[in-house]
Amino acid sequence: MSKNNTVFIGKNKNFWDRNRRSEGYLLQREIKRKCISVARALLMFGLCFMIIQPILIRFSTGFMVESDLYDSTIVLVPRHLTLENYKIVFDLTNFPTSMINTLWISLLVSLLQVVSCTFVAYGFARYQFPLKKFWFACVVLLIIVPPTTIQTSLYMSFANFDILGIFKAINGKPINLRTSLIPYAMMSLTCMGLKNGLYIYMLRQYFKNVPDSLEEAAFVDGCSTLRTFTQIMLPDAMPTIASCFLFSFVWQWTDLFYSRNFLSSYSVYSVELSSIVSRMSRYFSADVSKAVIVPNGRQQQLIAIGVLICCIPLIILYCFTQKLFVQSLAMTGSKE
C-alpha cells in the first residue's frame, strides 16, 4: 500500500476513533458545519437570484417584438430579436442629452455634498461649540423628516429669492432661481441637499472614533488645524468619503423630487423616464395632433428598458468602487 493511502486511512481511522471517544459529538459537529454551509450557499443563491432575475427579465424583454410580449410560450428567450425598442426609448427620453446632463449634475452635486458634509462632520466630532447637541439633533432631523414636508418653503424661498432685501432694492423685486442649478448647489454646500444628514452622521462616526493622539502628535510637530485635517484625517477617511460619494451619486442619479423642483430647465434622465408614458401616445401616432392608446404590455416593456438603461451606469460604477464601499462599511463605527 502506498504512503498516501496509508496517511488517508490513518486520518479516517483517527477521525472515527476520536468520534467514538467523544460519543458521537465530533460527527454531529461535522454534520452541523456541513448543513450550515449548504444553507448559507442556498441563501446566497436565493438572494442573488432575487436581485439578478428582474434585471435578466428586463434585458430579455428589451429585445422582443411586440407580438412576443403576448405569446405565452415565450418565457425568457425572445423568438424575434430587435433593437428598435431601444431606439424608441432613446427618442422618448431625449437620450443622450438627458444622460449627459444627469451625469455631470450628479457628479457636481455629489462633490459639493461630500466636501461640505466632511467639514461639518469633522467639526461635530472634534470641536465643542454652543448648542452642539441641538445642531446635531437638527442633522438627525434631516435624516428622519422627508424633504416633501418643506417643499412649499423651498419653492417660495427660491422663487422669490432675496438676501436682506438687496435684490429687491436693486431690481425692484426678488429674483427667481428655481429654473437654474444655483439653488440646488447652494443647498448642497450648506448641507441641506438630498440625504446630507446621513453623510454627516456617517463621517462624524468615523472621525469620532479616530484616536486623539494622532491629532495631538501632529500639533506637536507643528501642523496647523487645516493641515492636520487634510494630511492626517482625510487620507484615512477616504473609504468612508468614497462611500458617501457613491450614496450621493446614486440617489441624485435617480432623484425626482429635487430635479423637478430645481432642474426644470435641464433634461434629466430620471424626469424624462418618469414621464415616458405620457409621450408614448404622441410618439406612436401617425398624426401629431392625435393620440393613440398604447397597450399596457408595450408600455411596461419600454419602461423596463428605460429602467435598465438607468441602472447600467450604476452597476458599472459599483463594480469599480466595491472595494472602497465594503471597506468603508467595515471601518465606520468599528474603531475604538
Side-chain angles (χ1 to χ4, degrees), residues 102-103 106-107 110 241-254 309-326:
T102 305
L103 178 61
S106 298
L107 287 174
S110 301
I241 294 175
S243 181
C244 292
F245 180 85
L246 288 176
F247 282 134
S248 178
F249 184 89
V250 171
W251 273 317
Q252 179 57 42
W253 187 271
T254 58
I309 295 173
C310 183
C311 292
I312 288 176
L314 302 181
I315 295 174
I316 296 174
L317 176 65
Y318 177 76
C319 289
F320 285 99
T321 58
Q322 58 174 327
K323 185 177 180 180
L324 285 173
F325 180 73
V326 174

Side-chain angles (χ1 to χ4, degrees), residues 50-68:
M50 290 175 60
I51 297 173
I52 296 175
Q53 190 253 358
I55 298 178
L56 292 177
I57 292 178
R58 284 175 170 81
F59 183 77
S60 174
T61 55
F63 294 102
M64 294 182 183
V65 298
E66 187 173 2
S67 59
D68 289 351

